[in-house]
Amino acid sequence: MAKPVYSGGRHFQSRLTCITENRWRLTDHSYNANVWNAGMVHMDREQVFHAEGLTKVYPMGDLEVKALRGIDLDLYRGELVVLLGASGSGKSTLLNILGGLDSASSGEAWYCGDSITSASLETLTEFRRRHVGFIFQFYNLIPSLTAQENVAIVTDIAANPMPPLEALKLVGMEARANHFPAQLSGGEQQRVAIARAIAKRPEVLLCDEPTGALDSRTGVVVLQALERVNRELGTTTVVITHNVAVRAMADRVIEMTDGQISSVYVNPDKKTPAEISW
Amino acid sequence: MLALQRKLFRDLWLIRSQVFAIAMVIAAGVGVCIMSLSTWKALELTKDTYYREYRFADVFASLKRAPLGEMQRIRAIDGVRAAQGRVISGANLHIPGFAEPITGLLSSLPQAHELNQLVLRRGRYPDPARSEEVLLSDALADAHRLNPGDQLAAVINGRYRTLRITGIALSPEHVYQIAPGAILPDFKRFGILWMPRRSLERARDMDGAFNDLVVQLSRDADQARVIREIDRLLMPYGGRGAYGREDQLSERFLREEFGQLKTMAYLFPLIFMAVAVFLLNVVIQRLVATQRENIAALKAFGYHDREIFRHYAELVAVIASIGILLGIALGTWLGKGLSNIYMEYYRFPFLLFSLPLDVLLLVCPLALLAALGGSWRAVKGAADLPPAQAMRGELPVDYKASWLEKVGVTRRLRPDTRMVVRYLERQPRRALIAIAGLSLATAIMMVGSFQMDAANFMVHVHFDVTQREDVQLGFTEPVAQKALGSLRNIEGVRYLEGYRSVPVRLRNRQFHERINIQGLQTDAQLQKVLDIEFRELRLPPAGLLLSERLAQNLRVRVGDLLQVEVLEQGQQKVQIPVAAITQQFFGMSAYMNVDALNRVMQEGRTFSGALLQLEPGTEEGVYRELLDMPRVAGIGVRQAMLNSFNDILERSLLTFTFINTILGGVIATGVVYNTARIAFSERARELASLRVLGYRQGEVAYVLLAELGILTLLAIPIGFVIGHHLCAFLASQLQSDLFRVPLVLESRTYAMSALVIVVSSLLSGWYLWEKVRGLDLVEVLKTRE
């Protein structure tokens, strides 16, 4: 088994770019007899994330809290995955590790063949800067910047971004481009956050409870925006939620319990967000 | 503009009141620095330019009398570029309408191209053919509103003369216009008159002779050798020892005063900037804490640590820059004002004030670096926040029952008071930082008024304890004891004591000082000598008493032998042991038993002057009689000295102190305000919860106000201790040959600094009260977790 070896930021970047060009290149992860991959409908598609035996332990005073207890996982290009689970099941920890925000205690994870778990902080920063878009439950907009400026804060440092206004248009927020977060409703703020996340044209979009703070009607609007980005830009999208209704719009639903993956479900008939309610 | 820069400016606007408070503190530090440094530089530059352009001499010597023919031999000394023999004379002056005695110094008028050129302010030079025409020094003229054409009377060499002022002049020799032997200038009672040489020669019976020498050295001259040569040549003529510019009276005072100004110019800004830096650190740390989630988001988007670092460093830099710019404007304005105040005391013909570029180049980057350095930890902390951790927000503080509670102290406290106690106890670092800030503010206030306390104590010791005479007078020549009888007979003289004063050079190895030994009577009542502990010291029958500073300069201790070279007729060289060290705040002194001194001089009981105590109300009559006595060369009135001292203190030192007090107050308020603000924003959610639970505004405000109150009360005594040490440091730095500043802190100083802190706290408390009232309960509770 030939594990890809990380050998420096520049190499990491060039590999990632080249993979984007060879969209259908097969990776040699056939060693993985993991149940979750067996019989996958996506077997022929390109792997974006691959994780093996990921664990995460938080020291809490004298105690140790095991947030992840050995996760094996593959995510594929262009799919929309819903990560379900109760509070404390380890969803956010997994997402943070995949997004390069947090480190794993053991196990390994790769993005397009390059190790995330053994990369330096500097490389992880580069990785997030170029390839990952984040959406948080509490939007995390910068209160002192307008909607458009909040998007610009990402496009300023991205290699090939779309204009901030175009990103806002994708989520239907162009009319409120010059409003400050305090002048926007929760749903509007989250749509700005989505615009901000997609404006750099990321390969993956990681969403931690994007509708968690929103009512059903507003939540649907936000989900529509996510679905549209996934469909039109082909962005691999992972949505964390404890809202079971959201599973209907996923390609795959991964359920987590107690730091482990308890089930994976391939959704045969994807619904549009408009058909969902809770 | 990039979005991150926009965020920078919006953030700055959002915390504008804090930005303003910090910028003011920095402005205060930079302002004091620029004010003092630019004043000092302006005065130094002015002095140097003045000395150069008006050909101030390098070496000075006074003697009894030498024929002008000797000048050729002096000019022939290797290293002498120019030399002039002058006639100098003491005189008692009388100005119509002013009863008190005025000490005058008469000097022969320098010819064009001679040394120590005069600056003619108004009027014209005297006509050499008219013996009554003189130029008058501008300080005395200003003090008495005398103008060209006015007259004044002078007793010269025992003869009463009426003089006519033809012009008002200044001399580089008398920038610091102080009467010989005085401790401070007194413009009302001391003046210099310049007479054409022939007139003064006649008045002093000095035809074809000189009694004073000024010399300009060539560039590579060996000053010590020239002085030795001059001393050798003048020895037969009653030479009193030549000395360099560094020992010239006016220059020596200027150098010492400028030195003090320089010390303050570095010391005060140092203290101010230290506080500003500390404050900046606290505020930035707080700002970072409130922006944890923003930082996390930025990092999640792929912003590098260095970009986050730069962002917050820029924030600090902008705040610092605002402070620096304000400080430059403030400092320049104050510096100009202060220089002009000094100009009243230093009689310069012009002032070369400019904002010195080198000061700017020093102060601005230093202030910026200090600000960045001060907030380094906070900024670095922001950049180093791991993104995932930042996203989770700050963990709740681990509260447990405190040791205070375990011993049961707090059992009786109400829940809200218990909150306050726990908050302080569980977050000791934050409480300590707040206390440190507040106590530094207290200390700074003390430094401001300490100088005034010290000056008052110095005046008290000098004028109330040691100098108890009403009038001090000097004779033109030393007189025998029986001559004092005529003074005793003056109506109004209640008591008098004679004293002997002998100019000497004290030498111990390579260390030497020119000074007058004061010979006092064993049972002297009007002039007391104090030991180091301020106890009255009884004069021993033999041996020298040296003031502390003098002993330090000469590196001698009690019991050491000092070489004494008499600079009067006789020129004796003797070895005298040091018998005691004395306490003295003004100048340096050496004392001896008058009989012992007379023995050294190989003379009978002889006095150089006398100290008089007068019956109240008889002063004017006594002055008149004294001025008519031919042997009386000069009169000093104690009360007048005291008045002029207080006047000077008020105008110069007080101005400086006042500015420092104001700026100290700015810092104090800045610290207190920020402390209160931080306390509020840290606990807004908690307080809102209390309000939601039904607590009244007063009850909620109590939690904050009690905390601020406890912090303030804890900080003040600590501030007193820090302030005491700061003042001690300042006092040690301000020692000079002219002053020894004692560490004296009046209770008023403590009270004043505590008051400023308490008032700032009350104002900040009122601000908190308003904030609690405006607390948006829903909004606060809505934000996460």
Side-chain angles (χ1 to χ4, degrees), chain A residues 58 101-102 122 125-126 128-129 134 136 140 142-145 149 153-154 156-157 180 196 200, chain B residues 2-4 6-7 10-11 293-294 297-304 306-307 387-388 391-392:
Chain A
Y58 292 109
L101 287 179
D102 210 346
E122 184 72 359
T125 304
E126 246 355 273
R128 297 197 300 269
R129 192 176 181 124
F134 281 101
F136 314 103
N140 281 36
I142 289 166
S144 53
L145 297 181
E149 289 160 357
I153 202 125
V154 166
D156 280 346
I157 58 166
F180 284 93
R196 182 174 64 176
K200 69 167 106 164
Chain B
L2 295 179
L4 204 57
R6 236 174 235 151
K7 171 181 177 307
R10 299 252 168 79
D11 285 352
E293 287 161 32
N294 285 343
L298 288 174
K299 286 194 146 191
F301 304 147
Y303 274 85
H304 289 283
R306 57 177 180 274
E307 285 164 318
M391 203 92 72
R392 280 196 288 275

CSV table of all heavy atoms in Angstrom, one decimal, chain A residues 58 101-102 122 125-126 128-129 134 136 140 142-145 149 153-154 156-157 180 196 200, chain B residues 2-4 6-7 10-11 293-294 297-304 306-307 387-388 391-392:
chain,number,residue,atom,x,y,z
A,58,TYR,N,-9.8,15.0,23.9
A,58,TYR,CA,-9.6,16.3,24.5
A,58,TYR,C,-9.3,16.0,26.0
A,58,TYR,O,-10.1,15.4,26.7
A,58,TYR,CB,-10.9,17.1,24.4
A,58,TYR,CG,-11.2,17.6,23.0
A,58,TYR,CD1,-12.3,17.1,22.3
A,58,TYR,CD2,-10.4,18.6,22.4
A,58,TYR,CE1,-12.6,17.5,21.1
A,58,TYR,CE2,-10.7,19.1,21.2
A,58,TYR,CZ,-11.8,18.5,20.5
A,58,TYR,OH,-12.1,19.0,19.3
A,101,LEU,N,-8.7,22.7,10.6
A,101,LEU,CA,-8.8,23.6,11.7
A,101,LEU,C,-8.3,23.0,13.0
A,101,LEU,O,-7.9,23.7,13.9
A,101,LEU,CB,-10.3,24.0,11.9
A,101,LEU,CG,-10.9,25.0,10.9
A,101,LEU,CD1,-12.3,25.2,11.3
A,101,LEU,CD2,-10.1,26.3,10.8
A,102,ASP,N,-8.3,21.7,13.0
A,102,ASP,CA,-8.0,21.0,14.3
A,102,ASP,C,-7.1,19.8,13.9
A,102,ASP,O,-7.0,19.4,12.7
A,102,ASP,CB,-9.2,20.5,15.0
A,102,ASP,CG,-9.1,20.5,16.5
A,102,ASP,OD1,-7.9,20.6,16.9
A,102,ASP,OD2,-10.1,20.4,17.2
A,122,GLU,N,1.3,25.9,8.7
A,122,GLU,CA,1.4,26.8,7.6
A,122,GLU,C,0.8,26.1,6.3
A,122,GLU,O,0.0,26.8,5.6
A,122,GLU,CB,2.9,27.0,7.3
A,122,GLU,CG,3.2,28.0,6.2
A,122,GLU,CD,2.9,29.5,6.7
A,122,GLU,OE1,2.4,29.7,7.8
A,122,GLU,OE2,3.1,30.3,5.8
A,125,THR,N,-3.0,26.1,6.6
A,125,THR,CA,-3.5,27.5,6.3
A,125,THR,C,-3.6,27.6,4.8
A,125,THR,O,-4.6,28.1,4.3
A,125,THR,CB,-2.6,28.6,6.9
A,125,THR,OG1,-2.4,28.3,8.3
A,125,THR,CG2,-3.1,29.9,6.6
A,126,GLU,N,-2.6,27.3,4.1
A,126,GLU,CA,-2.6,27.3,2.6
A,126,GLU,C,-3.7,26.5,2.0
A,126,GLU,O,-4.4,26.9,1.1
A,126,GLU,CB,-1.2,26.8,2.1
A,126,GLU,CG,-0.2,27.7,1.4
A,126,GLU,CD,-0.7,29.1,1.2
A,126,GLU,OE1,-1.3,29.3,0.1
A,126,GLU,OE2,-0.4,30.0,2.0
A,128,ARG,N,-6.6,25.6,3.5
A,128,ARG,CA,-7.9,26.3,3.7
A,128,ARG,C,-8.0,27.5,2.8
A,128,ARG,O,-9.1,27.7,2.3
A,128,ARG,CB,-8.0,26.8,5.2
A,128,ARG,CG,-7.9,25.7,6.2
A,128,ARG,CD,-8.4,26.2,7.6
A,128,ARG,NE,-7.6,27.3,8.1
A,128,ARG,CZ,-6.6,27.2,8.9
A,128,ARG,NH1,-6.2,26.0,9.3
A,128,ARG,NH2,-5.9,28.2,9.3
A,129,ARG,N,-6.9,28.2,2.6
A,129,ARG,CA,-7.0,29.4,1.8
A,129,ARG,C,-7.4,29.1,0.4
A,129,ARG,O,-8.1,29.8,-0.2
A,129,ARG,CB,-5.6,30.0,1.9
A,129,ARG,CG,-5.5,31.4,1.4
A,129,ARG,CD,-4.0,31.9,1.6
A,129,ARG,NE,-3.8,33.2,1.2
A,129,ARG,CZ,-3.3,34.2,2.0
A,129,ARG,NH1,-3.1,33.9,3.2
A,129,ARG,NH2,-3.1,35.3,1.5
A,134,PHE,N,-15.8,27.5,4.5
A,134,PHE,CA,-16.4,27.2,5.8
A,134,PHE,C,-17.7,27.9,6.0
A,134,PHE,O,-17.8,29.1,5.7
A,134,PHE,CB,-15.5,27.5,7.0
A,134,PHE,CG,-14.5,26.5,7.2
A,134,PHE,CD1,-13.2,26.7,6.8
A,134,PHE,CD2,-14.8,25.3,7.9
A,134,PHE,CE1,-12.2,25.8,7.0
A,134,PHE,CE2,-13.8,24.4,8.1
A,134,PHE,CZ,-12.5,24.6,7.7
A,136,PHE,N,-20.5,28.5,9.2
A,136,PHE,CA,-20.7,28.1,10.6
A,136,PHE,C,-22.1,28.4,11.1
A,136,PHE,O,-22.8,29.1,10.5
A,136,PHE,CB,-19.7,29.0,11.5
A,136,PHE,CG,-18.3,29.1,11.0
A,136,PHE,CD1,-17.9,30.2,10.3
A,136,PHE,CD2,-17.5,28.1,11.2
A,136,PHE,CE1,-16.6,30.3,9.8
A,136,PHE,CE2,-16.2,28.1,10.7
A,136,PHE,CZ,-15.7,29.3,10.0
A,140,ASN,N,-20.6,33.8,12.0
A,140,ASN,CA,-19.2,34.4,12.1
A,140,ASN,C,-18.9,35.5,11.1
A,140,ASN,O,-17.8,35.5,10.6
A,140,ASN,CB,-18.2,33.3,12.1
A,140,ASN,CG,-18.1,32.6,13.4
A,140,ASN,OD1,-19.1,32.4,14.1
A,140,ASN,ND2,-16.9,32.2,13.8
A,142,ILE,N,-18.0,39.2,10.2
A,142,ILE,CA,-17.3,40.3,10.9
A,142,ILE,C,-18.2,41.5,11.0
A,142,ILE,O,-18.6,42.1,10.0
A,142,ILE,CB,-15.9,40.6,10.2
A,142,ILE,CG1,-15.1,39.3,10.4
A,142,ILE,CG2,-15.3,41.8,10.8
A,142,ILE,CD1,-13.9,39.3,9.6
A,143,PRO,N,-18.6,41.8,12.3
A,143,PRO,CA,-19.6,42.8,12.4
A,143,PRO,C,-19.3,44.2,11.9
A,143,PRO,O,-20.2,44.9,11.5
A,143,PRO,CB,-19.8,42.9,14.0
A,143,PRO,CG,-18.7,42.1,14.6
A,143,PRO,CD,-18.1,41.3,13.5
A,144,SER,N,-18.0,44.5,11.8
A,144,SER,CA,-17.7,45.8,11.3
A,144,SER,C,-17.6,45.9,9.8
A,144,SER,O,-17.2,47.0,9.3
A,144,SER,CB,-16.3,46.3,12.0
A,144,SER,OG,-15.4,45.3,11.7
A,145,LEU,N,-17.9,44.8,9.1
A,145,LEU,CA,-17.8,44.9,7.6
A,145,LEU,C,-19.2,44.6,7.0
A,145,LEU,O,-20.0,43.9,7.6
A,145,LEU,CB,-16.8,43.8,7.1
A,145,LEU,CG,-15.4,44.0,7.5
A,145,LEU,CD1,-14.5,42.9,6.9
A,145,LEU,CD2,-14.8,45.3,7.1
A,149,GLU,N,-18.2,43.4,1.9
A,149,GLU,CA,-16.9,43.4,2.5
A,149,GLU,C,-16.6,42.1,3.2
A,149,GLU,O,-15.4,41.7,3.2
A,149,GLU,CB,-16.7,44.6,3.4
A,149,GLU,CG,-16.7,45.9,2.7
A,149,GLU,CD,-17.0,47.1,3.6
A,149,GLU,OE1,-17.3,46.9,4.8
A,149,GLU,OE2,-16.9,48.3,3.1
A,153,ILE,N,-13.4,39.8,2.2
A,153,ILE,CA,-12.3,39.4,3.1
A,153,ILE,C,-11.7,38.1,2.7
A,153,ILE,O,-10.5,37.8,2.9
A,153,ILE,CB,-12.8,39.4,4.6
A,153,ILE,CG1,-11.6,39.6,5.5
A,153,ILE,CG2,-13.5,38.1,4.9
A,153,ILE,CD1,-11.7,40.7,6.5
A,154,VAL,N,-12.5,37.3,2.0
A,154,VAL,CA,-12.0,36.0,1.5
A,154,VAL,C,-11.5,36.2,0.0
A,154,VAL,O,-10.4,35.7,-0.3
A,154,VAL,CB,-13.1,35.0,1.5
A,154,VAL,CG1,-12.8,33.8,0.7
A,154,VAL,CG2,-13.4,34.6,2.9
A,156,ASP,N,-10.1,38.7,-1.2
A,156,ASP,CA,-8.8,39.4,-1.2
A,156,ASP,C,-7.6,38.5,-1.2
A,156,ASP,O,-6.6,38.8,-1.7
A,156,ASP,CB,-8.8,40.3,0.1
A,156,ASP,CG,-9.5,41.6,0.0
A,156,ASP,OD1,-9.9,41.9,-1.2
A,156,ASP,OD2,-9.8,42.2,1.0
A,157,ILE,N,-7.8,37.3,-0.6
A,157,ILE,CA,-6.6,36.4,-0.4
A,157,ILE,C,-6.8,35.2,-1.3
A,157,ILE,O,-5.9,34.3,-1.2
A,157,ILE,CB,-6.4,36.0,1.0
A,157,ILE,CG1,-7.6,35.3,1.6
A,157,ILE,CG2,-6.1,37.2,1.9
A,157,ILE,CD1,-7.4,34.6,2.9
A,180,PHE,N,-24.7,46.1,7.0
A,180,PHE,CA,-23.9,45.4,8.0
A,180,PHE,C,-24.6,44.2,8.6
A,180,PHE,O,-25.8,44.2,8.6
A,180,PHE,CB,-23.6,46.5,9.1
A,180,PHE,CG,-22.5,47.5,8.7
A,180,PHE,CD1,-22.9,48.7,8.1
A,180,PHE,CD2,-21.2,47.2,8.8
A,180,PHE,CE1,-22.0,49.6,7.7
A,180,PHE,CE2,-20.2,48.1,8.4
A,180,PHE,CZ,-20.6,49.3,7.8
A,196,ARG,N,-19.7,34.1,1.1
A,196,ARG,CA,-18.3,34.3,1.5
A,196,ARG,C,-17.5,33.0,1.4
A,196,ARG,O,-16.4,33.0,0.9
A,196,ARG,CB,-18.3,34.8,3.0
A,196,ARG,CG,-16.9,35.0,3.5
A,196,ARG,CD,-16.9,35.6,4.9
A,196,ARG,NE,-17.5,34.7,5.8
A,196,ARG,CZ,-17.5,34.9,7.2
A,196,ARG,NH1,-17.1,36.0,7.6
A,196,ARG,NH2,-18.0,34.0,8.0
A,200,LYS,N,-14.5,32.0,-3.2
A,200,LYS,CA,-13.1,31.7,-3.7
A,200,LYS,C,-13.2,30.5,-4.6
A,200,LYS,O,-12.1,30.0,-5.0
A,200,LYS,CB,-12.3,31.4,-2.5
A,200,LYS,CG,-12.6,30.2,-1.7
A,200,LYS,CD,-11.5,29.8,-0.7
A,200,LYS,CE,-11.9,30.2,0.7
A,200,LYS,NZ,-11.0,29.6,1.7
B,2,LEU,N,-8.3,46.9,1.0
B,2,LEU,CA,-8.7,45.6,1.3
B,2,LEU,C,-9.7,45.5,2.4
B,2,LEU,O,-9.8,46.4,3.3
B,2,LEU,CB,-7.5,44.7,1.7
B,2,LEU,CG,-6.4,44.6,0.6
B,2,LEU,CD1,-5.3,43.7,1.1
B,2,LEU,CD2,-7.0,43.9,-0.7
B,3,ALA,N,-10.5,44.4,2.4
B,3,ALA,CA,-11.6,44.3,3.4
B,3,ALA,C,-11.0,44.3,4.8
B,3,ALA,O,-11.6,44.8,5.7
B,3,ALA,CB,-12.4,43.0,3.1
B,4,LEU,N,-9.8,43.7,4.9
B,4,LEU,CA,-9.2,43.6,6.3
B,4,LEU,C,-8.8,44.9,6.8
B,4,LEU,O,-9.0,45.2,8.0
B,4,LEU,CB,-8.0,42.7,6.2
B,4,LEU,CG,-7.6,42.0,7.5
B,4,LEU,CD1,-8.7,41.2,8.1
B,4,LEU,CD2,-6.3,41.1,7.3
B,6,ARG,N,-10.4,47.7,5.9
B,6,ARG,CA,-11.6,48.3,6.3
B,6,ARG,C,-12.1,47.9,7.7
B,6,ARG,O,-12.5,48.7,8.4
B,6,ARG,CB,-12.7,47.9,5.2
B,6,ARG,CG,-13.3,49.1,4.6
B,6,ARG,CD,-14.2,48.8,3.5
B,6,ARG,NE,-13.7,49.6,2.4
B,6,ARG,CZ,-13.9,49.2,1.1
B,6,ARG,NH1,-14.5,48.1,0.9
B,6,ARG,NH2,-13.4,49.9,0.2
B,7,LYS,N,-11.9,46.6,7.9
B,7,LYS,CA,-12.2,46.1,9.3
B,7,LYS,C,-11.4,46.9,10.3
B,7,LYS,O,-12.0,47.2,11.4
B,7,LYS,CB,-11.9,44.6,9.3
B,7,LYS,CG,-12.0,44.0,10.7
B,7,LYS,CD,-11.7,42.5,10.7
B,7,LYS,CE,-11.7,41.9,12.1
B,7,LYS,NZ,-10.9,42.5,13.1
B,10,ARG,N,-13.0,50.3,10.8
B,10,ARG,CA,-14.3,50.2,11.5
B,10,ARG,C,-14.1,49.8,12.9
B,10,ARG,O,-14.8,50.3,13.8
B,10,ARG,CB,-15.1,49.1,10.8
B,10,ARG,CG,-15.4,49.4,9.3
B,10,ARG,CD,-16.9,49.9,9.1
B,10,ARG,NE,-17.0,50.4,7.8
B,10,ARG,CZ,-17.1,49.7,6.7
B,10,ARG,NH1,-17.1,48.4,6.7
B,10,ARG,NH2,-17.2,50.3,5.5
B,11,ASP,N,-13.2,48.8,13.2
B,11,ASP,CA,-12.9,48.4,14.6
B,11,ASP,C,-12.5,49.6,15.4
B,11,ASP,O,-12.9,49.8,16.6
B,11,ASP,CB,-11.9,47.3,14.7
B,11,ASP,CG,-12.4,46.0,14.2
B,11,ASP,OD1,-13.7,45.9,14.0
B,11,ASP,OD2,-11.6,45.0,14.0
B,293,GLU,N,-13.9,35.0,17.8
B,293,GLU,CA,-14.6,34.3,16.8
B,293,GLU,C,-14.2,34.9,15.4
B,293,GLU,O,-14.1,34.1,14.4
B,293,GLU,CB,-16.1,34.4,17.0
B,293,GLU,CG,-16.5,33.5,18.2
B,293,GLU,CD,-17.8,33.8,18.8
B,293,GLU,OE1,-18.7,34.3,18.0
B,293,GLU,OE2,-17.9,33.6,20.0
B,294,ASN,N,-14.0,36.2,15.3
B,294,ASN,CA,-13.6,36.8,14.1
B,294,ASN,C,-12.3,36.2,13.6
B,294,ASN,O,-12.1,35.9,12.5
B,294,ASN,CB,-13.4,38.3,14.2
B,294,ASN,CG,-14.8,39.0,14.3
B,294,ASN,OD1,-15.8,38.4,13.9
B,294,ASN,ND2,-14.8,40.2,14.7
B,297,ALA,N,-12.7,32.8,12.4
B,297,ALA,CA,-13.3,32.7,11.0
B,297,ALA,C,-12.2,33.1,10.0
B,297,ALA,O,-12.0,32.4,9.0
B,297,ALA,CB,-14.4,33.7,10.9
B,298,LEU,N,-11.4,34.2,10.3
B,298,LEU,CA,-10.4,34.6,9.3
B,298,LEU,C,-9.4,33.4,9.1
B,298,LEU,O,-8.9,33.2,8.0
B,298,LEU,CB,-9.6,35.8,9.9
B,298,LEU,CG,-10.4,37.1,9.8
B,298,LEU,CD1,-9.7,38.2,10.5
B,298,LEU,CD2,-10.7,37.5,8.4
B,299,LYS,N,-9.1,32.8,10.2
B,299,LYS,CA,-8.1,31.6,10.1
B,299,LYS,C,-8.7,30.5,9.3
B,299,LYS,O,-8.0,29.8,8.5
B,299,LYS,CB,-7.7,31.2,11.5
B,299,LYS,CG,-6.7,32.2,12.1
B,299,LYS,CD,-6.1,31.5,13.3
B,299,LYS,CE,-4.7,32.0,13.4
B,299,LYS,NZ,-3.9,31.3,14.4
B,300,ALA,N,-10.0,30.2,9.5
B,300,ALA,CA,-10.7,29.2,8.8
B,300,ALA,C,-10.6,29.5,7.3
B,300,ALA,O,-10.5,28.6,6.5
B,300,ALA,CB,-12.1,29.0,9.3
B,301,PHE,N,-10.7,30.8,6.9
B,301,PHE,CA,-10.7,31.1,5.5
B,301,PHE,C,-9.3,31.0,4.9
B,301,PHE,O,-9.1,31.2,3.7
B,301,PHE,CB,-11.2,32.5,5.3
B,301,PHE,CG,-12.5,32.8,5.8
B,301,PHE,CD1,-12.9,34.0,6.3
B,301,PHE,CD2,-13.5,31.8,5.9
B,301,PHE,CE1,-14.1,34.2,6.8
B,301,PHE,CE2,-14.7,32.0,6.4
B,301,PHE,CZ,-15.1,33.2,6.9
B,302,GLY,N,-8.3,30.8,5.8
B,302,GLY,CA,-7.0,30.6,5.3
B,302,GLY,C,-6.1,31.8,5.5
B,302,GLY,O,-5.0,31.9,4.8
B,303,TYR,N,-6.5,32.7,6.3
B,303,TYR,CA,-5.5,33.8,6.7
B,303,TYR,C,-4.4,33.2,7.5
B,303,TYR,O,-4.6,32.5,8.4
B,303,TYR,CB,-6.3,34.9,7.4
B,303,TYR,CG,-7.0,35.9,6.5
B,303,TYR,CD1,-8.2,35.7,6.0
B,303,TYR,CD2,-6.3,37.1,6.1
B,303,TYR,CE1,-8.8,36.6,5.2
B,303,TYR,CE2,-6.9,38.0,5.3
B,303,TYR,CZ,-8.2,37.7,4.8
B,303,TYR,OH,-8.8,38.6,3.9
B,304,HIS,N,-3.2,33.7,7.2
B,304,HIS,CA,-2.0,33.2,7.9
B,304,HIS,C,-1.9,33.9,9.2
B,304,HIS,O,-2.4,35.0,9.4
B,304,HIS,CB,-0.7,33.5,7.1
B,304,HIS,CG,-0.6,32.6,5.9
B,304,HIS,ND1,-0.2,31.3,5.9
B,304,HIS,CD2,-0.8,32.9,4.5
B,304,HIS,CE1,-0.2,30.9,4.7
B,304,HIS,NE2,-0.6,31.8,3.8
B,306,ARG,N,0.6,35.3,10.3
B,306,ARG,CA,1.3,36.6,10.2
B,306,ARG,C,0.4,37.7,9.7
B,306,ARG,O,0.6,38.8,10.0
B,306,ARG,CB,2.5,36.4,9.2
B,306,ARG,CG,2.2,35.9,7.9
B,306,ARG,CD,3.4,35.9,7.0
B,306,ARG,NE,3.1,35.3,5.7
B,306,ARG,CZ,3.0,34.0,5.4
B,306,ARG,NH1,3.4,33.1,6.3
B,306,ARG,NH2,2.7,33.6,4.2
B,307,GLU,N,-0.6,37.2,8.9
B,307,GLU,CA,-1.6,38.2,8.4
B,307,GLU,C,-2.5,38.7,9.6
B,307,GLU,O,-2.8,39.9,9.7
B,307,GLU,CB,-2.5,37.7,7.3
B,307,GLU,CG,-1.7,37.6,6.0
B,307,GLU,CD,-2.4,36.7,5.0
B,307,GLU,OE1,-2.9,35.6,5.4
B,307,GLU,OE2,-2.4,37.0,3.8
B,387,PRO,N,-7.4,27.8,15.3
B,387,PRO,CA,-8.7,28.2,14.8
B,387,PRO,C,-9.9,27.4,15.4
B,387,PRO,O,-10.9,28.0,15.7
B,387,PRO,CB,-8.6,27.9,13.3
B,387,PRO,CG,-7.4,27.1,13.1
B,387,PRO,CD,-6.5,27.4,14.3
B,388,ALA,N,-9.7,26.1,15.7
B,388,ALA,CA,-10.8,25.4,16.2
B,388,ALA,C,-11.2,25.8,17.6
B,388,ALA,O,-12.3,25.9,18.0
B,388,ALA,CB,-10.5,23.9,16.2
B,391,MET,N,-12.9,29.1,17.8
B,391,MET,CA,-14.3,29.0,17.4
B,391,MET,C,-15.2,28.6,18.6
B,391,MET,O,-16.4,28.9,18.6
B,391,MET,CB,-14.4,27.9,16.3
B,391,MET,CG,-15.6,28.1,15.4
B,391,MET,SD,-15.2,29.0,14.0
B,391,MET,CE,-14.2,27.8,13.2
B,392,ARG,N,-14.6,27.9,19.5
B,392,ARG,CA,-15.4,27.4,20.6
B,392,ARG,C,-15.7,28.5,21.7
B,392,ARG,O,-16.5,28.3,22.6
B,392,ARG,CB,-14.7,26.2,21.3
B,392,ARG,CG,-14.9,24.9,20.6
B,392,ARG,CD,-14.5,23.7,21.5
B,392,ARG,NE,-13.1,23.7,21.7
B,392,ARG,CZ,-12.2,23.1,20.8
B,392,ARG,NH1,-12.7,22.5,19.7
B,392,ARG,NH2,-11.0,23.0,21.1
